[in-house]
Amino acid sequence: MTRTMGLLSLLVLGGALAATGCEDKVCQEALGKATAAKAEILKSAEAMNNEFTASKAKLAATEKNLEAAEKAVDECKEAAAKAEEKKPAKTKGKKAKKGKKGKRK
């Protein structure tokens, strides 16, 4: 009976080791796929980060241009206001119309 138990235990342990080996292959394959997916996600995230940084730089440049344009508009408004102040005010007087006496022929 000892031999039978030895053989049975050997078969059970061998089967367990063989099953573990199969699981190990499946796990290794899954790990490889997950690692590849992670690398692709990291590349995509880096590309998005670069695009975001470029967009922030464009936004800063646009805001700077906008401020310069607003400053130029304000300066033009001030210049126009000063020019209006310098112009003499014209008074429109009513001129009497000379009417012709007599009838038209």
Side-chain angles (χ1 to χ4, degrees):
M1 197 152 141
T2 319
R3 284 186 177 185
T4 308
M5 289 297 277
L7 285 174
L8 284 176
S9 62
L10 182 62
L11 287 174
V12 169
L13 288 175
L17 288 174
T20 303
C22 291
E23 287 179 8
D24 191 39
K25 285 182 183 180
V26 172
C27 289
Q28 289 295 328
E29 289 175 6
L31 179 63
K33 289 178 183 178
T35 304
K38 176 186 168 189
E40 288 181 29
I41 290 170
L42 287 175
K43 285 180 185 177
S44 176
E46 185 177 346
M48 286 181 183
N49 189 27
N50 292 340
E51 186 177 329
F52 178 69
T53 304
S55 294
K56 281 175 51 177
K58 284 182 182 179
L59 176 63
T62 302
E63 286 177 344
K64 187 176 180 181
N65 290 340
L66 179 62
E67 288 175 9
E70 287 175 346
K71 185 177 179 181
V73 167
D74 290 340
E75 289 174 357
C76 289
K77 284 181 180 178
E78 289 175 8
K82 286 181 182 177
E84 281 293 318
E85 289 175 3
K86 289 182 180 180
K87 283 185 180 179
K90 292 184 179 180
T91 57
K92 292 185 178 180
K94 293 184 179 179
K95 293 183 180 179
K97 292 185 180 179
K98 292 183 179 180
K100 291 186 179 180
K101 291 186 181 180
K103 295 183 181 179
R104 284 190 172 174
K105 292 184 182 180

Coordinates of all heavy atoms in Angstrom, one line a residue:
M1 N 0.8 -1.2 0.0 CA 0.0 0.0 0.0 C 0.9 1.3 0.0 O 0.4 2.3 -0.5 CB -0.9 0.0 1.2 CG -2.0 1.0 1.0 SD -3.3 0.4 2.0 CE -3.9 1.9 2.5
T2 N 2.0 1.2 0.5 CA 2.9 2.3 0.5 C 3.3 2.7 -0.9 O 3.4 3.8 -1.2 CB 4.2 1.9 1.3 OG1 3.8 1.2 2.5 CG2 4.9 3.2 1.7
R3 N 3.5 1.6 -1.7 CA 3.9 1.9 -3.1 C 2.7 2.6 -3.8 O 2.9 3.5 -4.6 CB 4.3 0.6 -3.8 CG 5.6 0.1 -3.4 CD 5.9 -1.1 -4.3 NE 7.3 -1.5 -4.0 CZ 7.9 -2.4 -4.6 NH1 7.3 -3.0 -5.6 NH2 9.1 -2.8 -4.3
T4 N 1.5 2.1 -3.6 CA 0.4 2.7 -4.2 C 0.2 4.2 -3.8 O -0.1 5.0 -4.6 CB -0.9 1.9 -3.8 OG1 -0.7 0.5 -4.0 CG2 -2.1 2.4 -4.6
M5 N 0.4 4.4 -2.5 CA 0.3 5.8 -2.0 C 1.4 6.7 -2.6 O 1.1 7.8 -2.9 CB 0.4 5.8 -0.5 CG -0.9 5.3 0.2 SD -2.3 6.2 -0.2 CE -2.2 7.5 1.0
G6 N 2.5 6.1 -2.7 CA 3.7 6.8 -3.3 C 3.4 7.2 -4.8 O 3.7 8.3 -5.2
L7 N 2.9 6.2 -5.5 CA 2.5 6.4 -6.9 C 1.4 7.5 -7.1 O 1.5 8.4 -7.9 CB 2.2 5.1 -7.6 CG 3.3 4.2 -7.9 CD1 2.8 2.9 -8.5 CD2 4.2 4.8 -9.0
L8 N 0.4 7.3 -6.2 CA -0.7 8.3 -6.3 C -0.2 9.7 -5.9 O -0.6 10.7 -6.6 CB -1.8 7.9 -5.3 CG -2.7 6.7 -5.8 CD1 -3.7 6.3 -4.7 CD2 -3.4 7.1 -7.1
S9 N 0.6 9.8 -4.9 CA 1.1 11.1 -4.5 C 2.0 11.7 -5.6 O 1.9 12.9 -5.9 CB 1.8 11.1 -3.2 OG 2.9 10.3 -3.3
L10 N 2.7 10.8 -6.3 CA 3.6 11.3 -7.4 C 2.7 11.8 -8.5 O 3.0 12.8 -9.1 CB 4.5 10.1 -7.8 CG 5.5 10.5 -8.9 CD1 6.5 11.6 -8.4 CD2 6.3 9.3 -9.3
L11 N 1.7 11.1 -8.8 CA 0.8 11.5 -9.9 C 0.1 12.8 -9.6 O 0.0 13.7 -10.4 CB -0.3 10.4 -10.2 CG 0.3 9.1 -10.9 CD1 -0.8 8.1 -11.0 CD2 0.7 9.5 -12.3
V12 N -0.4 12.9 -8.3 CA -1.1 14.1 -7.9 C -0.1 15.3 -8.0 O -0.4 16.4 -8.5 CB -1.7 14.0 -6.5 CG1 -2.2 15.3 -6.0 CG2 -2.8 13.0 -6.6
L13 N 1.1 15.1 -7.4 CA 2.1 16.2 -7.4 C 2.5 16.6 -8.9 O 2.7 17.7 -9.2 CB 3.3 15.9 -6.6 CG 3.0 15.9 -5.1 CD1 4.2 15.4 -4.3 CD2 2.6 17.3 -4.6
G14 N 2.7 15.5 -9.7 CA 3.1 15.8 -11.1 C 2.0 16.5 -11.8 O 2.3 17.4 -12.6
G15 N 0.8 16.1 -11.6 CA -0.4 16.8 -12.3 C -0.5 18.2 -11.8 O -0.7 19.1 -12.6
A16 N -0.2 18.4 -10.5 CA -0.3 19.8 -10.0 C 0.8 20.7 -10.6 O 0.6 21.8 -11.0 CB -0.2 19.8 -8.5
L17 N 2.0 20.1 -10.7 CA 3.1 20.8 -11.3 C 2.9 21.1 -12.8 O 3.2 22.2 -13.3 CB 4.4 20.1 -11.2 CG 5.0 20.1 -9.7 CD1 6.2 19.1 -9.7 CD2 5.4 21.5 -9.3
A18 N 2.3 20.1 -13.5 CA 2.0 20.3 -14.9 C 0.9 21.3 -15.1 O 1.0 22.2 -16.0 CB 1.6 19.0 -15.5
A19 N -0.1 21.3 -14.3 CA -1.1 22.3 -14.4 C -0.6 23.7 -14.0 O -1.0 24.7 -14.7 CB -2.3 22.0 -13.4
T20 N 0.3 23.8 -13.1 CA 0.9 25.1 -12.7 C 1.8 25.6 -13.9 O 1.8 26.8 -14.2 CB 1.8 24.9 -11.5 OG1 1.0 24.4 -10.4 CG2 2.4 26.2 -11.1
G21 N 2.4 24.7 -14.6 CA 3.2 25.1 -15.8 C 2.3 25.7 -16.9 O 2.7 26.7 -17.5
C22 N 1.2 25.1 -17.1 CA 0.2 25.6 -18.1 C -0.3 27.0 -17.7 O -0.4 27.9 -18.5 CB -0.9 24.6 -18.3 SG -0.5 23.1 -19.1
E23 N -0.6 27.1 -16.4 CA -1.1 28.4 -15.9 C 0.0 29.4 -16.0 O -0.3 30.6 -16.3 CB -1.6 28.2 -14.4 CG -2.9 27.5 -14.3 CD -3.3 27.4 -12.8 OE1 -2.6 28.0 -11.9 OE2 -4.2 26.6 -12.6
D24 N 1.2 29.0 -15.8 CA 2.4 29.9 -15.8 C 2.5 30.4 -17.3 O 2.8 31.6 -17.5 CB 3.6 29.2 -15.4 CG 4.8 30.1 -15.2 OD1 4.5 31.3 -14.7 OD2 5.9 29.8 -15.6
K25 N 2.3 29.6 -18.3 CA 2.4 30.0 -19.7 C 1.3 31.0 -20.0 O 1.6 32.0 -20.6 CB 2.3 28.8 -20.6 CG 3.6 28.0 -20.7 CD 3.4 26.9 -21.7 CE 4.6 26.0 -21.7 NZ 4.5 24.9 -22.7
V26 N 0.1 30.7 -19.5 CA -1.0 31.6 -19.8 C -0.8 33.0 -19.1 O -1.0 34.0 -19.7 CB -2.3 31.0 -19.3 CG1 -3.5 32.0 -19.3 CG2 -2.7 29.7 -20.1
C27 N -0.3 32.9 -17.9 CA 0.0 34.1 -17.1 C 1.1 34.9 -17.8 O 1.1 36.2 -17.9 CB 0.4 33.8 -15.7 SG -1.0 33.2 -14.7
Q28 N 2.1 34.2 -18.3 CA 3.2 34.9 -19.0 C 2.8 35.6 -20.2 O 3.2 36.7 -20.6 CB 4.4 33.9 -19.3 CG 5.2 33.5 -18.1 CD 5.9 34.6 -17.4 OE1 6.3 35.6 -18.1 NE2 6.1 34.5 -16.1
E29 N 1.9 34.9 -21.0 CA 1.3 35.5 -22.2 C 0.5 36.7 -21.9 O 0.6 37.8 -22.5 CB 0.5 34.5 -23.0 CG 1.3 33.4 -23.6 CD 0.4 32.3 -24.3 OE1 -0.8 32.5 -24.3 OE2 1.0 31.3 -24.7
A30 N -0.3 36.6 -20.8 CA -1.2 37.7 -20.4 C -0.3 38.9 -19.9 O -0.6 40.1 -20.2 CB -2.1 37.3 -19.3
L31 N 0.8 38.6 -19.2 CA 1.7 39.6 -18.7 C 2.3 40.3 -19.9 O 2.5 41.5 -19.9 CB 2.7 39.0 -17.8 CG 3.7 40.0 -17.2 CD1 3.1 41.0 -16.4 CD2 4.8 39.2 -16.4
G32 N 2.7 39.6 -20.9 CA 3.4 40.1 -22.1 C 2.4 41.1 -22.8 O 2.8 42.2 -23.3
K33 N 1.2 40.7 -23.0 CA 0.2 41.5 -23.7 C -0.1 42.8 -22.8 O -0.2 43.9 -23.4 CB -1.2 40.7 -23.8 CG -1.1 39.6 -24.9 CD -2.4 38.9 -25.0 CE -2.3 37.8 -26.0 NZ -3.6 37.0 -26.1
A34 N -0.2 42.6 -21.5 CA -0.4 43.8 -20.7 C 0.7 44.7 -20.7 O 0.5 46.0 -20.7 CB -0.7 43.3 -19.2
T35 N 1.9 44.2 -20.8 CA 3.1 45.1 -20.8 C 3.2 45.8 -22.2 O 3.5 47.0 -22.2 CB 4.4 44.2 -20.7 OG1 4.3 43.5 -19.5 CG2 5.6 45.1 -20.7
A36 N 2.8 45.2 -23.3 CA 2.8 45.8 -24.6 C 1.7 46.9 -24.6 O 1.9 48.0 -25.1 CB 2.5 44.8 -25.7
A37 N 0.5 46.6 -24.0 CA -0.6 47.6 -23.9 C -0.1 48.8 -23.1 O -0.4 49.9 -23.4 CB -1.8 46.9 -23.4
K38 N 0.6 48.5 -22.0 CA 1.0 49.6 -21.1 C 2.0 50.5 -21.9 O 1.9 51.7 -21.8 CB 1.7 49.0 -19.9 CG 2.3 50.1 -19.0 CD 3.1 49.4 -17.9 CE 3.9 50.4 -17.1 NZ 4.9 49.8 -16.2
A39 N 2.9 49.9 -22.7 CA 3.9 50.7 -23.4 C 3.1 51.6 -24.5 O 3.5 52.8 -24.6 CB 4.9 49.8 -24.1
E40 N 2.1 51.1 -25.1 CA 1.3 51.8 -26.1 C 0.6 53.0 -25.4 O 0.5 54.1 -25.9 CB 0.4 50.9 -26.8 CG 1.0 50.0 -27.8 CD 0.0 49.2 -28.6 OE1 -1.1 49.6 -28.8 OE2 0.4 48.1 -29.0
I41 N 0.0 52.7 -24.2 CA -0.7 53.7 -23.5 C 0.3 54.8 -23.0 O -0.1 56.0 -23.1 CB -1.4 53.1 -22.3 CG1 -2.6 52.3 -22.8 CG2 -1.9 54.2 -21.3 CD1 -3.2 51.4 -21.7
L42 N 1.5 54.5 -22.6 CA 2.5 55.5 -22.2 C 2.9 56.3 -23.4 O 3.0 57.6 -23.2 CB 3.7 54.8 -21.6 CG 3.5 54.2 -20.2 CD1 4.7 53.5 -19.7 CD2 3.1 55.3 -19.2
K43 N 3.1 55.7 -24.6 CA 3.4 56.5 -25.8 C 2.3 57.5 -26.1 O 2.5 58.6 -26.4 CB 3.7 55.6 -26.9 CG 5.0 54.8 -26.9 CD 5.2 53.9 -28.1 CE 6.4 53.1 -28.0 NZ 6.5 52.2 -29.2
S44 N 1.0 57.0 -26.0 CA -0.1 57.8 -26.3 C -0.2 59.0 -25.3 O -0.5 60.1 -25.7 CB -1.4 57.0 -26.3 OG -2.5 57.8 -26.5
A45 N 0.0 58.7 -24.1 CA -0.1 59.7 -23.0 C 1.0 60.8 -23.2 O 0.8 62.0 -23.1 CB 0.1 59.1 -21.6
E46 N 2.2 60.3 -23.6 CA 3.3 61.2 -23.9 C 3.0 62.1 -25.1 O 3.2 63.4 -25.0 CB 4.6 60.5 -24.1 CG 5.8 61.4 -24.3 CD 7.1 60.6 -24.5 OE1 7.1 59.4 -24.2 OE2 8.1 61.2 -24.9
A47 N 2.4 61.6 -26.1 CA 2.0 62.4 -27.3 C 0.9 63.4 -26.9 O 1.0 64.5 -27.3 CB 1.5 61.4 -28.4
M48 N 0.0 63.0 -26.1 CA -1.1 63.9 -25.7 C -0.5 65.0 -24.8 O -0.9 66.2 -24.9 CB -2.1 63.2 -24.9 CG -3.0 62.3 -25.7 SD -4.3 61.5 -24.7 CE -5.2 60.6 -25.9
N49 N 0.5 64.7 -23.9 CA 1.1 65.6 -23.1 C 1.9 66.7 -23.9 O 1.8 67.9 -23.7 CB 2.1 65.0 -22.1 CG 2.6 65.9 -21.1 OD1 2.0 66.9 -20.7 ND2 3.8 65.6 -20.5
N50 N 2.6 66.2 -25.0 CA 3.3 67.1 -25.9 C 2.3 68.0 -26.6 O 2.6 69.2 -26.8 CB 4.1 66.3 -26.9 CG 5.3 65.6 -26.2 OD1 5.7 66.0 -25.1 ND2 5.8 64.6 -26.9
E51 N 1.2 67.5 -27.1 CA 0.2 68.2 -27.7 C -0.4 69.3 -26.8 O -0.6 70.4 -27.2 CB -0.9 67.3 -28.3 CG -2.0 68.0 -29.1 CD -3.0 67.0 -29.6 OE1 -2.6 65.9 -29.9 OE2 -4.1 67.5 -29.8
F52 N -0.6 68.9 -25.5 CA -1.2 69.8 -24.5 C -0.2 71.0 -24.3 O -0.6 72.1 -24.2 CB -1.5 69.1 -23.2 CG -2.0 69.9 -22.1 CD1 -3.2 70.5 -22.2 CD2 -1.2 70.1 -21.0 CE1 -3.7 71.2 -21.2 CE2 -1.7 70.9 -20.0 CZ -2.9 71.5 -20.0
T53 N 1.1 70.6 -24.2 CA 2.1 71.7 -23.9 C 2.2 72.6 -25.1 O 2.3 73.9 -24.9 CB 3.5 71.0 -23.7 OG1 3.4 70.1 -22.6 CG2 4.6 72.0 -23.4
A54 N 2.1 72.1 -26.3 CA 2.1 73.0 -27.5 C 0.8 73.9 -27.5 O 0.9 75.1 -27.9 CB 2.1 72.1 -28.8
S55 N -0.3 73.3 -27.1 CA -1.5 74.1 -27.1 C -1.4 75.2 -26.1 O -1.9 76.3 -26.3 CB -2.7 73.2 -26.8 OG -2.9 72.3 -27.8
K56 N -0.8 74.9 -24.9 CA -0.6 75.9 -23.9 C 0.3 77.1 -24.4 O 0.0 78.2 -24.1 CB 0.0 75.3 -22.6 CG -1.0 74.6 -21.8 CD -0.4 73.9 -20.6 CE 0.5 74.7 -19.7 NZ 0.9 73.9 -18.5
A57 N 1.3 76.7 -25.1 CA 2.2 77.7 -25.7 C 1.5 78.6 -26.7 O 1.6 79.8 -26.7 CB 3.4 77.1 -26.3
K58 N 0.6 78.0 -27.6 CA -0.2 78.8 -28.5 C -1.1 79.7 -27.8 O -1.3 80.8 -28.2 CB -0.9 77.8 -29.4 CG -0.1 77.1 -30.5 CD -1.0 76.3 -31.4 CE -0.2 75.5 -32.4 NZ -1.1 74.7 -33.3
L59 N -1.7 79.2 -26.7 CA -2.7 80.0 -26.0 C -2.0 81.2 -25.4 O -2.5 82.3 -25.4 CB -3.3 79.2 -24.9 CG -4.3 79.9 -23.9 CD1 -5.5 80.5 -24.7 CD2 -4.7 79.0 -22.8
A60 N -0.8 81.0 -24.8 CA 0.0 82.1 -24.2 C 0.3 83.2 -25.3 O 0.2 84.4 -25.0 CB 1.2 81.6 -23.5
A61 N 0.7 82.7 -26.5 CA 1.1 83.6 -27.5 C -0.2 84.4 -28.0 O -0.1 85.6 -28.3 CB 1.7 82.9 -28.7
T62 N -1.3 83.7 -28.1 CA -2.5 84.4 -28.5 C -3.0 85.4 -27.5 O -3.4 86.5 -27.9 CB -3.6 83.3 -28.8 OG1 -3.2 82.4 -29.7 CG2 -4.9 83.9 -29.3
E63 N -2.9 85.0 -26.2 CA -3.2 86.0 -25.2 C -2.4 87.2 -25.2 O -2.8 88.4 -25.0 CB -3.2 85.3 -23.8 CG -4.3 84.4 -23.5 CD -4.2 83.7 -22.2 OE1 -3.1 83.7 -21.6 OE2 -5.2 83.1 -21.8
K64 N -1.1 87.0 -25.5 CA -0.1 88.2 -25.6 C -0.5 89.0 -26.8 O -0.6 90.3 -26.7 CB 1.3 87.6 -25.8 CG 2.3 88.7 -25.7 CD 3.7 88.1 -25.8 CE 4.8 89.2 -25.8 NZ 6.1 88.6 -25.9
N65 N -0.9 88.4 -27.9 CA -1.3 89.2 -29.1 C -2.6 89.9 -28.8 O -2.8 91.1 -29.2 CB -1.4 88.3 -30.3 CG -0.1 87.8 -30.8 OD1 0.9 88.4 -30.5 ND2 -0.2 86.7 -31.6
L66 N -3.5 89.3 -28.1 CA -4.8 89.9 -27.8 C -4.6 91.1 -26.9 O -5.2 92.2 -27.1 CB -5.7 88.9 -27.1 CG -7.1 89.4 -26.6 CD1 -7.9 89.9 -27.8 CD2 -7.8 88.4 -25.8
E67 N -3.7 91.0 -25.9 CA -3.4 92.2 -25.0 C -2.8 93.3 -25.8 O -3.2 94.5 -25.6 CB -2.4 91.7 -23.9 CG -3.1 90.8 -22.8 CD -2.1 90.3 -21.8 OE1 -0.9 90.8 -21.8 OE2 -2.5 89.5 -21.0
A68 N -1.9 93.0 -26.7 CA -1.3 94.0 -27.6 C -2.4 94.7 -28.4 O -2.4 96.0 -28.6 CB -0.2 93.5 -28.4
A69 N -3.3 93.9 -29.0 CA -4.4 94.5 -29.8 C -5.3 95.4 -29.0 O -5.7 96.5 -29.4 CB -5.1 93.4 -30.5
E70 N -5.6 94.9 -27.8 CA -6.5 95.7 -26.9 C -5.8 97.0 -26.5 O -6.5 98.1 -26.5 CB -6.9 94.9 -25.6 CG -7.8 93.8 -25.9 CD -8.1 92.9 -24.7 OE1 -7.3 93.0 -23.7 OE2 -9.1 92.2 -24.7
K71 N -4.5 97.0 -26.3 CA -3.8 98.2 -25.9 C -3.8 99.2 -27.1 O -4.0 100.4 -26.9 CB -2.3 97.8 -25.6 CG -1.5 99.0 -25.1 CD -0.1 98.5 -24.7 CE 0.7 99.7 -24.2 NZ 2.1 99.3 -23.8
A72 N -3.6 98.6 -28.3 CA -3.6 99.5 -29.5 C -5.0 100.1 -29.7 O -5.1 101.3 -30.1 CB -3.2 98.7 -30.8
V73 N -6.0 99.4 -29.5 CA -7.4 99.9 -29.6 C -7.6 101.0 -28.6 O -8.2 102.0 -28.9 CB -8.5 98.8 -29.5 CG1 -9.8 99.3 -29.3 CG2 -8.4 97.8 -30.7
D74 N -7.2 100.8 -27.4 CA -7.3 101.8 -26.3 C -6.6 103.1 -26.7 O -7.1 104.2 -26.5 CB -6.9 101.3 -25.0 CG -7.8 100.2 -24.4 OD1 -9.0 100.2 -24.8 OD2 -7.3 99.5 -23.5
E75 N -5.4 102.9 -27.2 CA -4.6 104.1 -27.7 C -5.3 104.8 -28.8 O -5.3 106.1 -28.8 CB -3.2 103.6 -28.1 CG -2.3 103.2 -26.9 CD -1.0 102.6 -27.4 OE1 -0.7 102.5 -28.6 OE2 -0.2 102.3 -26.5
C76 N -5.9 104.1 -29.7 CA -6.6 104.8 -30.8 C -7.8 105.5 -30.3 O -8.1 106.6 -30.8 CB -7.0 103.7 -31.9 SG -5.6 103.1 -32.8
K77 N -8.5 104.9 -29.3 CA -9.7 105.6 -28.8 C -9.3 106.9 -28.1 O -9.9 107.9 -28.2 CB -10.4 104.7 -27.8 CG -11.2 103.6 -28.4 CD -11.9 102.7 -27.4 CE -12.7 101.6 -28.0 NZ -13.4 100.8 -27.0
E78 N -8.2 106.8 -27.3 CA -7.7 108.0 -26.6 C -7.3 109.1 -27.6 O -7.6 110.3 -27.5 CB -6.5 107.7 -25.7 CG -6.9 106.9 -24.5 CD -5.7 106.4 -23.7 OE1 -4.5 106.9 -24.0 OE2 -5.9 105.6 -22.8
A79 N -6.6 108.7 -28.7 CA -6.2 109.6 -29.7 C -7.4 110.3 -30.4 O -7.4 111.5 -30.7 CB -5.3 108.9 -30.8
A80 N -8.4 109.5 -30.7 CA -9.6 110.0 -31.3 C -10.3 110.9 -30.4 O -10.9 112.0 -30.8 CB -10.6 108.8 -31.7
A81 N -10.3 110.6 -29.1 CA -11.0 111.5 -28.1 C -10.2 112.8 -28.0 O -10.8 113.9 -27.9 CB -11.1 110.8 -26.7
K82 N -8.9 112.8 -28.0 CA -8.1 114.0 -28.0 C -8.3 114.9 -29.3 O -8.4 116.1 -29.2 CB -6.6 113.7 -27.8 CG -6.3 113.2 -26.4 CD -4.8 112.9 -26.3 CE -4.5 112.4 -24.9 NZ -3.1 112.1 -24.8
A83 N -8.4 114.2 -30.4 CA -8.7 114.9 -31.6 C -10.0 115.6 -31.6 O -10.2 116.7 -32.1 CB -8.6 114.0 -32.8
E84 N -11.0 115.0 -31.0 CA -12.4 115.6 -30.9 C -12.3 116.8 -30.0 O -13.0 117.8 -30.3 CB -13.4 114.5 -30.4 CG -13.9 113.5 -31.4 CD -14.7 114.2 -32.5 OE1 -15.6 115.0 -32.2 OE2 -14.5 113.8 -33.7
E85 N -11.6 116.7 -29.0 CA -11.5 117.9 -28.1 C -10.8 119.1 -28.7 O -11.1 120.2 -28.5 CB -10.7 117.5 -26.8 CG -11.4 116.5 -25.9 CD -10.5 116.1 -24.7 OE1 -9.3 116.6 -24.6 OE2 -11.0 115.2 -24.0
K86 N -9.8 118.8 -29.6 CA -9.1 119.9 -30.3 C -9.9 120.6 -31.4 O -9.7 121.7 -31.7 CB -7.8 119.4 -30.9 CG -6.8 119.0 -29.9 CD -5.5 118.5 -30.5 CE -4.5 118.2 -29.5 NZ -3.2 117.7 -30.1
K87 N -10.9 119.9 -32.0 CA -11.7 120.5 -33.0 C -12.6 121.6 -32.4 O -13.2 121.4 -31.4 CB -12.6 119.5 -33.7 CG -11.9 118.6 -34.6 CD -12.9 117.7 -35.3 CE -12.2 116.7 -36.3 NZ -13.2 115.8 -36.9
P88 N -12.7 122.7 -33.1 CA -13.6 123.8 -32.6 C -15.0 123.3 -32.8 O -15.3 122.7 -33.8 CB -13.2 125.0 -33.4 CG -12.6 124.5 -34.6 CD -11.9 123.2 -34.3
A89 N -15.8 123.7 -31.9 CA -17.2 123.3 -32.0 C -17.9 124.2 -33.0 O -17.8 125.4 -32.9 CB -17.9 123.4 -30.6
K90 N -18.5 123.7 -34.0 CA -19.2 124.4 -35.0 C -20.6 124.7 -34.5 O -21.3 123.8 -34.1 CB -19.2 123.7 -36.3 CG -17.8 123.5 -37.0 CD -18.0 122.9 -38.3 CE -16.6 122.7 -39.0 NZ -16.7 122.1 -40.3
T91 N -21.0 126.0 -34.6 CA -22.4 126.3 -34.3 C -23.1 126.5 -35.6 O -22.7 127.2 -36.4 CB -22.4 127.5 -33.4 OG1 -21.8 128.6 -34.1 CG2 -21.7 127.3 -32.1
K92 N -24.2 126.0 -35.6 CA -25.0 126.1 -36.8 C -26.1 127.2 -36.5 O -27.0 127.0 -35.7 CB -25.7 124.8 -37.2 CG -24.7 123.8 -37.7 CD -25.5 122.5 -38.1 CE -24.5 121.5 -38.7 NZ -25.2 120.3 -39.1
G93 N -25.9 128.3 -37.1 CA -26.9 129.4 -36.9 C -28.0 129.3 -38.0 O -27.7 128.8 -39.1
K94 N -29.1 129.7 -37.7 CA -30.2 129.7 -38.7 C -30.1 130.9 -39.5 O -30.1 132.1 -39.0 CB -31.6 129.6 -38.0 CG -31.8 128.4 -37.3 CD -33.2 128.3 -36.7 CE -33.4 127.0 -36.0 NZ -34.8 127.0 -35.4
K95 N -30.1 130.7 -40.8 CA -30.0 131.9 -41.7 C -31.4 132.1 -42.2 O -32.2 131.2 -42.5 CB -29.1 131.5 -42.9 CG -27.7 131.4 -42.6 CD -26.9 131.1 -43.8 CE -25.4 131.0 -43.5 NZ -24.6 130.7 -44.7
A96 N -31.7 133.4 -42.2 CA -33.0 133.7 -42.7 C -33.1 133.6 -44.2 O -32.2 134.0 -44.9 CB -33.4 135.2 -42.3
K97 N -34.1 133.0 -44.7 CA -34.3 132.8 -46.1 C -34.9 134.1 -46.7 O -35.9 134.6 -46.1 CB -35.2 131.6 -46.4 CG -34.5 130.3 -46.1 CD -35.4 129.2 -46.5 CE -34.8 127.8 -46.2 NZ -35.7 126.7 -46.6
K98 N -34.3 134.5 -47.7 CA -34.9 135.6 -48.4 C -35.9 135.1 -49.3 O -35.7 134.4 -50.2 CB -33.8 136.4 -49.1 CG -32.8 137.1 -48.2 CD -31.8 137.9 -49.1 CE -30.8 138.6 -48.2 NZ -29.8 139.3 -48.9
G99 N -37.0 135.6 -49.1 CA -38.1 135.2 -50.0 C -38.3 136.3 -51.0 O -38.2 137.5 -50.8
K100 N -38.6 135.9 -52.2 CA -38.9 136.9 -53.3 C -40.3 137.3 -53.2 O -41.2 136.5 -53.0 CB -38.6 136.2 -54.6 CG -37.1 136.0 -54.9 CD -37.0 135.5 -56.3 CE -35.5 135.3 -56.6 NZ -35.3 134.8 -58.0
K101 N -40.4 138.6 -53.3 CA -41.8 139.1 -53.3 C -42.3 139.1 -54.7 O -41.6 139.4 -55.7 CB -41.8 140.5 -52.8 CG -41.5 140.5 -51.3 CD -41.7 141.9 -50.7 CE -41.4 141.9 -49.3 NZ -41.5 143.2 -48.7
G102 N -43.4 138.6 -54.8 CA -44.0 138.6 -56.2 C -44.3 137.2 -56.6 O -43.9 136.2 -55.9
K103 N -45.0 137.1 -57.6 CA -45.4 135.8 -58.1 C -44.5 135.3 -59.2 O -44.0 136.1 -60.0 CB -46.8 135.8 -58.6 CG -47.8 136.1 -57.5 CD -49.2 136.1 -58.1 CE -50.2 136.4 -57.0 NZ -51.5 136.4 -57.5
R104 N -44.4 134.1 -59.3 CA -43.6 133.5 -60.4 C -44.4 133.6 -61.7 O -45.6 133.4 -61.7 CB -43.2 132.1 -60.1 CG -42.1 132.0 -59.2 CD -41.7 130.6 -59.2 NE -40.5 130.4 -58.4 CZ -39.9 129.3 -58.1 NH1 -40.4 128.2 -58.5 NH2 -38.8 129.2 -57.4
K105 N -43.7 133.7 -62.7 CA -44.4 133.7 -64.0 C -44.2 132.5 -64.7 O -43.3 131.9 -64.9 CB -44.0 135.0 -64.8 CG -44.5 136.2 -64.2 CD -44.2 137.3 -65.1 CE -44.6 138.6 -64.5 NZ -44.3 139.7 -65.3

